[in-house]
Amino acid sequence: MPFKALNLHPALIANIIKLGYEQPMPIQSQAIPIVLAGKDVLGIAKTGSGKTASFVLPILNKLLERSPSEKSRQPKVLVLVPTRELAIQVGNVFWDLSQELPQTIKSKAVHGGVSINPQMKAIYGLDVLIATPGRLLDLEGSNAVDLSKVQILVLDEADKMLNMGFQKEMQEIFEFLPTKRQNLLFSATLSKALDGIKRVMLTDPEVIQIADKVEDVSLINLSGFFVSDERKGPLLRHLIKEKDMKQVLVFTSSGYKADNVAYKLTKNGIDALSIHGKKSQSQRTEALEQFKAGELQVLVATDLISRGIDINALPYVINYELPRSPKDFVHRVGRTGRADKEGLAITFVTREETHHFKVILKKMKRYMEVVDSKEMVF
Ligand code: AMP
């Protein structure tokens, strides 16, 4: 099915083409008609499935169909997200798809970790507000936003929102919303905890379940090296040079290690930055933006950014250190081979980790050839 068959405004189709999307992804062809029809949606889909555009496109289309209203502090659409990174990412999709529309549609992502004052000002005249729960409540508390005119509520990555302990904040936010509204709930998984949110939020929803793309590692080429801790740095530099890697995401298991690996790469003339929980929000955003734009060769990260963050179809991911759980392994290697492009994920394994590594492979039901790097000269 082409995008044209989805009854979207031609200006939106033009923006889709500009982004290089050729065909709707399954969640898009399923969700767009339902959202356009004004129904509630429960979408079970992970990052990487194309879920963001599946709600952004029909929401923009609906806003285009309505005549513009007076500027106010009353957004018509609220998108709640668990993390700052996801807020920025969803904000970018809204921005990309709202270019050159016949009617200006203003959206903005607000999140903690940065000054609240510019956000307070920016809310005036917004159509779409994308927010993390804490910052939204702060803005509400200082009367910078009035949620009583929200017509569409999107809850993105609801399972993560609950895991991060946002239940109370969400309930509080619901109190500020009008009862009559359209609700779109997206979650990577279905859980008992989600039942409560589903009950209070959704009315007779259409359920869309998308097979787990990230856990479908079949498009990802996996390879590994047995390597001692001392030789990991030289092996990493050797691989980056030998394979002429222009964009590679390297995972470590601690922020300290991430800093150390990035420092050593830089010292050896390879452009690298690290990102982890102890970095400031602006450092995290900047490194991620540079990396996504292809201006930074190596990003060294902890699992913090592995979940939820979409870095499009990376050619290379390197596990400098093994993650603790098979799930994290899948999330890490899932950063490559996205949206139908092949990728290569390389894993460094020390001899002591052999057993743990075998457990991961067994859980993933994948075989991986592991080369002993002892004889390699680098
Ligand atoms: P998401 O699951 O929303 O994080 O999207 C995953 C990735 O797929 C993003 O990098 C999008 O830019 C990309 N994407 C979304 N829709 C399409 C499409 N129809 N065709 C190709 N890529 C897409």
Side-chain angles (χ1 to χ4, degrees):
M1 182 204 279
F3 271 108
K4 281 214 169 91
L6 288 170
N7 277 332
L8 293 166
H9 193 286
L12 284 175
I13 302 276
N15 286 339
I16 293 170
I17 293 168
K18 263 190 242 152
L19 286 185
Y21 301 175
E22 284 164 13
Q23 291 268 328
M25 290 167 94
I27 189 155
Q28 294 161 1
S29 44
Q30 292 181 56
I32 291 172
I34 302 171
V35 181
L36 288 178
K39 299 199 72 172
D40 281 8
V41 169
L42 171 61
I44 309 301
K46 277 212 164 80
T47 298
S49 59
K51 69 179 164 65
T52 317
S54 84
F55 62 82
V56 173
L57 282 167
I59 285 175
L60 290 176
N61 204 91
K62 288 175 85 117
L63 291 173
L64 279 179
E65 282 168 356
R66 291 168 200 178
S67 44
S69 47
E70 290 279 299
K71 280 195 172 178
S72 68
R73 298 195 163 271
Q74 300 171 319
K76 301 182 193 80
V77 178
L78 174 66
V79 184
L80 272 182
V81 295
T83 62
R84 299 156 184 189
E85 280 83 3
L86 190 61
I88 294 167
Q89 196 173 294
V90 172
N92 287 343
V93 179
F94 266 104
W95 195 87
D96 283 342
L97 290 168
S98 342
Q99 296 308 297
E100 295 177 45
L101 298 181
Q103 181 182 314
T104 307
I105 295 179
K106 276 184 76 181
S107 56
K108 182 169 175 63
V110 297
H111 49 76
V114 290
S115 166
I116 196 167
N117 288 348
Q119 296 180 349
M120 290 167 91
K121 289 200 188 107
I123 288 190
Y124 184 71
L126 276 191
D127 300 288
V128 180
L129 179 64
I130 303 127
T132 50
R135 180 51 58 100
L136 181 63
L137 285 172
D138 289 345
L139 289 163
E140 220 294 328
S142 47
N143 290 327
V145 67
D146 171 0
L147 300 174
S148 67
K149 293 286 183 294
V150 168
Q151 298 161 9
I152 305 177
L153 168 68
V154 183
L155 204 66
D156 198 6
E157 300 202 351
D159 49 349
K160 189 159 182 187
M161 199 97 88
L162 293 171
N163 288 342
M164 289 173 75
F166 283 132
Q167 177 112 27
K168 205 172 124 260
E169 283 86 348
M170 279 194 285
Q171 300 290 2
E172 256 180 80
I173 291 165
F174 289 167
E175 298 287 316
F176 294 116
L177 301 172
T179 42
K180 194 174 167 316
R181 51 168 208 259
Q182 185 178 10
N183 300 291
L184 315 176
L185 176 65
F186 291 89
S187 181
T189 49
L190 275 176
S191 66
K192 269 247 151 352
L194 202 69
D195 283 347
I197 297 290
K198 267 166 46 193
R199 246 194 327 272
V200 295
M201 187 174 149
L202 301 173
T203 313
D204 191 20
E206 295 272 350
V207 181
I208 302 172
Q209 185 139 18
I210 298 297
D212 203 340
K213 177 110 178 79
V214 176
E215 300 208 357
D216 171 10
V217 286
S218 58
L219 266 178
I220 301 166
N221 295 308
L222 301 174
S223 76
F225 290 95
F226 283 121
V227 56
S228 62
D229 272 325
E230 316 79 73
R231 290 204 357 133
K232 280 184 177 180
L235 176 60
L236 177 65
R237 298 197 290 276
H238 167 76
L239 290 171
I240 291 173
K241 286 185 186 147
E242 185 202 51
K243 294 193 185 294
D244 193 20
M245 296 181 183
K246 300 227 161 32
Q247 197 188 28
V248 51
L249 180 59
V250 176
F251 281 107
T252 61
S253 44
S254 71
Y256 167 77
K257 195 73 188 175
D259 285 343
N260 188 260
V261 171
Y263 171 74
K264 290 212 172 120
L265 285 172
T266 312
K267 232 176 83 182
N268 282 280
I270 297 171
D271 194 16
L273 284 175
S274 60
I275 118 171
H276 49 76
K278 291 217 167 68
K279 290 264 176 179
S280 74
Q281 185 54 39
S282 59
Q283 286 172 318
R284 276 155 65 171
T285 309
E286 195 164 315
L288 206 55
E289 290 299 318
Q290 273 189 39
F291 186 64
K292 281 187 182 187
E295 291 156 7
L296 173 68
Q297 189 179 4
V298 188
L299 183 66
V300 191
T302 56
D303 288 298
L304 165 83
I305 71 149
S306 164
R307 280 166 192 274
I309 292 304
D310 178 60
I311 303 179
N312 200 7
L314 278 179
Y316 299 103
V317 165
I318 296 183
N319 288 312
Y320 191 90
E321 291 173 305
L322 276 185
R324 247 170 261 133
S325 79
K327 251 204 171 129
D328 282 335
F329 188 88
V330 170
H331 279 288
R332 286 179 178 192
V333 304
R335 300 307 96 194
T336 180
R338 312 290 297 280
D340 303 330
K341 291 193 185 76
E342 276 194 18
L344 174 63
I346 300 172
T347 300
F348 292 178
V349 191
T350 62
R351 283 286 168 200
E352 299 75 49
E353 289 169 328
T354 310
H355 174 72
H356 179 48
F357 180 60
K358 281 191 180 146
V359 174
I360 291 178
L361 287 186
K362 204 166 158 209
K363 276 261 157 60
M364 285 178 63
K365 301 193 182 74
R366 271 291 295 264
Y367 167 77
M368 188 194 306
E369 191 176 351
V370 184
V371 174
D372 195 334
S373 67
K374 215 163 37 193
E375 306 296 318
M376 287 168 64
V377 182
F378 45 77

